[in-house]
Amino acid sequence: MLESKLTSNIAGVDNVRMLGRFFVSALKTLMDRENIAKRRKKGLNINDSLFNFVKLTFLENAVLKYRRMVQFGDQVVLDSTFPPFPSVAFDKRIMNYVNNLDMKEVPTGIVSISTTNCCPYSCPFCSTNARRVTSNDLDEELLKTTITAVEEMGVPSIILHGGEPMYRYDRFLRLVKHVNSDTCLWMFTSGYGVTQERAGELKQNGIFGAWVSLDHFDPDVHNSFRGSPKAFDRACEAIKFFKRAGVYTCLSLVPPDDLLKPENFIKYYDLAKSLGVAEIRVMEKKPSGREAERGVLAHSPLLANLQKKLYADPRYANHPPLSGLSTWLEKDQALGCQCRFEYLFITSTGDVQPCEVSEVTFGNIKEEPFQTIYSRISKSFSRCSTGCIPMVMYPEIREYQKDKPRMSYLEKTDSAAKIIEGFQEKGSIPGAYSPIWSYYEKRLKLFHKRQAAKQKSD
């Protein structure tokens, strides 16, 4: 049976109450006997645990600084990159934070998996480029094995996408069914192939949320980008179908140049509200894929300022919140690049990358188990850093792409590690972490000393 859930932004007294509920929930997780036992086994003491609890507060404040939480039925969503509260996946996410001191050991928040390289559209900023050859897609059983491995490592959220995942719907549905019901499961789609029946079937088999790509408020502009006269209508229909099915429905936007003008972005913003979406994921163009030829384009200061103004303006209090906006998140005062800590990406050819646009591989699931590759990439990310990998390391990544066809498997992974090392050296500690970073380093040093002493005594 299809179920429609209304969404509404949380503000005022309700916002304070909700923050209080989060605090109590996190405190219960901290004091849970099983979690206490896990921390003791790892060698964490009470001060380490309290530090982790405080760190959660800093991260929460950064996420919610310029966006409102969303009430979705009987659940609340801080941000579309975080599982809804209450849920098993939410508890797992909090547990991962409080039970691990070393950031290299905290399980990734989301693993995003490309289930197919096929797509009927030809968007200029996408590397899929309207390929329709299904024989090049990853083996279905390999994808299922990888999904299981991701879940066993404690990752609370998984995204399944393409290309266009609905292009191979039956296969996509089997993969959706394979995901554990305790995992927060998302999907990306252009809207192609979405029907009311399929939306309901996906919801009933575990899909919590869907991002639907919509590039512009003008149907002709969107259709031109996508290379199809039906793209705009399909996207709007998909939004309607997902909402009716009870799916947490969001827009995904890579703003074209004219949407960088506030008056045009507000037209898009008004359209989003009229469509009834829960939030909007805004990602600026990055120098990767075909967009790499344009070089590095600076983040838009207009978008950064607009996000703050829209958040503060009471006229837009009930509009869908903006999430993922790199003009804010990657800057000094926020979270910085969240690759590995909050996000990992597996391409349609099996490469494990920090994100879609970084284009450096730490291994391939066709060659090695995901667990082995995950261990390798975790060692390379010792801390968060301000900036965006393909923007900060543009020359090095372009050189990497040029040499990649001639490199051995080991050379590719070693080069990727060096690029990330260079990225961290050029960046600084993001604002959400900087007030506690020196204390974290001291705690980490003592923690490692205790671990070494314990290993020596054993």
Side-chain angles (χ1 to χ4, degrees):
M1 180 178 178
L2 300 182
E3 174 190 8
S4 179
K5 293 185 180 181
L6 295 176
T7 61
S8 60
N9 294 343
I10 297 175
V13 175
D14 290 337
N15 187 69
V16 176
R17 289 174 180 163
M18 198 63 241
L19 291 174
R21 288 181 64 191
F22 288 147
F23 179 85
V24 171
S25 177
L27 188 61
K28 287 181 178 178
T29 301
L30 181 71
M31 302 305 296
D32 178 77
R33 290 184 179 180
E34 186 176 336
N35 287 327
I36 291 173
K38 287 179 180 179
R39 292 195 295 272
R40 284 177 178 168
K41 187 176 181 180
K42 291 182 178 181
L44 273 72
N45 60 29
I46 185 62
N47 289 328
D48 296 329
S49 302
L50 290 174
F51 170 80
N52 285 343
F53 190 73
V54 171
K55 182 178 70 174
L56 268 176
T57 304
F58 280 87
L59 299 181
E60 179 185 73
N61 288 340
V63 169
L64 295 176
K65 192 169 182 67
Y66 296 119
R67 62 153 290 145
R68 292 175 177 84
M69 292 180 281
V70 177
Q71 185 78 46
F72 178 61
D74 57 357
Q75 293 179 305
V76 172
V77 178
L78 284 83
D79 181 89
S80 55
T81 58
F82 213 92
F85 173 84
S87 68
V88 174
F90 181 94
D91 293 342
K92 187 185 295 186
R93 185 76 179 269
I94 299 299
M95 184 178 68
N96 289 344
Y97 276 125
V98 299
N99 287 352
N100 293 279
L101 179 65
D102 192 334
M103 291 184 68
K104 294 193 296 293
E105 297 177 359
V106 178
T108 298
I110 301 172
V111 173
S112 184
I113 304 173
S114 180
T115 62
T116 179
N117 198 44
C118 296
C119 182
Y121 296 156
S122 54
C123 312
F125 47 78
C126 179
S127 59
T128 298
N129 199 23
R131 295 187 178 92
R132 305 190 186 195
V133 181
T134 61
S135 60
N136 294 331
D137 286 340
L138 291 169
D139 177 72
E140 184 176 332
E141 291 307 311
L142 175 59
L143 285 171
K144 289 180 178 178
T145 299
T146 302
I147 288 170
T148 300
V150 167
E151 292 178 323
E152 289 176 347
M153 293 166 61
V155 174
S157 299
I158 289 177
I159 303 171
L160 297 179
H161 58 92
E164 172 49 67
M166 302 296 286
Y167 190 85
R168 302 192 67 187
Y169 177 71
D170 291 343
R171 180 177 189 260
F172 180 65
L173 180 61
R174 290 193 296 271
L175 293 172
V176 167
K177 290 180 177 180
H178 185 76
V179 176
N180 191 294
S181 60
D182 290 341
T183 299
C184 181
L185 180 59
W186 281 82
M187 66 176 289
F188 270 107
T189 178
S190 64
Y192 174 89
V194 179
T195 64
Q196 189 64 79
E197 180 183 7
R198 287 179 171 183
E201 193 171 30
L202 290 170
K203 171 65 180 178
Q204 290 164 7
N205 285 284
I207 287 288
F208 168 75
W211 283 289
V212 180
S213 296
L214 191 65
D215 305 318
H216 208 276
F217 59 83
D218 185 332
D220 291 336
V221 175
H222 178 81
N223 291 341
S224 177
F225 279 149
R226 299 277 157 173
S228 168
K230 299 180 179 179
F232 186 89
D233 290 341
R234 284 171 176 165
C236 293
E237 285 284 289
I239 291 166
K240 179 176 66 177
F241 295 148
F242 280 130
K243 286 177 57 188
R244 284 180 181 171
V247 174
Y248 188 80
T249 309
C250 309
L251 291 184
S252 178
L253 168 69
V254 178
D257 293 342
D258 69 321
L259 284 194
L260 301 183
K261 297 177 180 179
E263 62 271 23
N264 286 338
F265 189 89
I266 289 173
K267 290 179 183 178
Y268 183 93
Y269 205 32
D270 287 339
L271 171 64
K273 185 177 186 300
S274 70
L275 290 171
V277 297
E279 59 182 89
I280 308 171
R281 177 182 179 268
V282 185
M283 297 298 292
E284 292 189 85
K285 294 176 184 176
K286 300 294 179 72
S288 65
R290 283 172 284 173
E291 286 293 319
E293 300 299 324
R294 299 179 62 177
V296 177
L297 302 176
H299 287 315
S300 167
L302 290 174
L303 271 184
N305 291 329
L306 186 60
Q307 182 181 21
K308 298 174 186 178
K309 289 179 180 179
L310 292 174
Y311 175 77
D313 192 330
R315 292 175 297 176
Y316 300 99
N318 295 317
H319 278 58
L322 305 176
S323 65
L325 187 54
S326 50
T327 51
W328 158 243
L329 287 176
E330 291 169 359
K331 286 195 171 182
D332 294 347
Q333 63 267 54
L335 296 173
C337 173
Q338 286 296 289
C339 289
R340 210 304 286 166
F341 305 108
E342 300 295 334
Y343 189 80
L344 277 181
F345 178 64
I346 302 176
T347 72
S348 61
T349 58
D351 282 338
V352 180
Q353 301 180 172
C355 66
E356 291 98 325
V357 297
S358 57
E359 296 187 314
V360 294
T361 178
F362 280 80
N364 191 292
I365 59 173
K366 292 187 291 187
E367 303 292 334
E368 295 178 287
F370 176 77
Q371 298 94 320
T372 303
I373 303 170
Y374 182 81
S375 177
R376 183 182 298 128
I377 198 169
S378 294
K379 291 176 182 176
S380 289
F381 283 85
S382 59
R383 64 173 177 85
C384 296
S385 181
T386 55
C388 170
I389 294 170
M391 296 176 75
V392 174
M393 303 300 290
Y394 180 77
E396 291 84 353
I397 292 178
R398 299 278 59 82
E399 188 69 21
Y400 178 93
Q401 289 297 311
K402 185 178 72 175
D403 295 339
K404 188 178 178 181
R406 298 186 295 274
M407 286 193 283
S408 68
Y409 187 83
L410 184 60
E411 286 173 334
K412 284 186 281 191
T413 59
D414 286 348
S415 295
K418 289 177 182 176
I419 287 173
I420 298 306
E421 182 181 356
F423 169 69
Q424 292 175 332
E425 288 175 352
K426 292 181 180 181
S428 57
I429 303 299
Y433 294 92
S434 58
I436 57 175
W437 192 256
S438 61
Y439 188 69
Y440 164 73
E441 290 184 312
K442 291 176 184 177
R443 295 231 60 83
L444 186 62
K445 187 175 181 179
L446 291 171
F447 171 62
H448 286 160
K449 188 177 292 186
R450 291 197 305 271
Q451 281 187 317
K454 185 177 184 301
Q455 289 176 355
K456 190 174 181 180
S457 64
D458 291 345

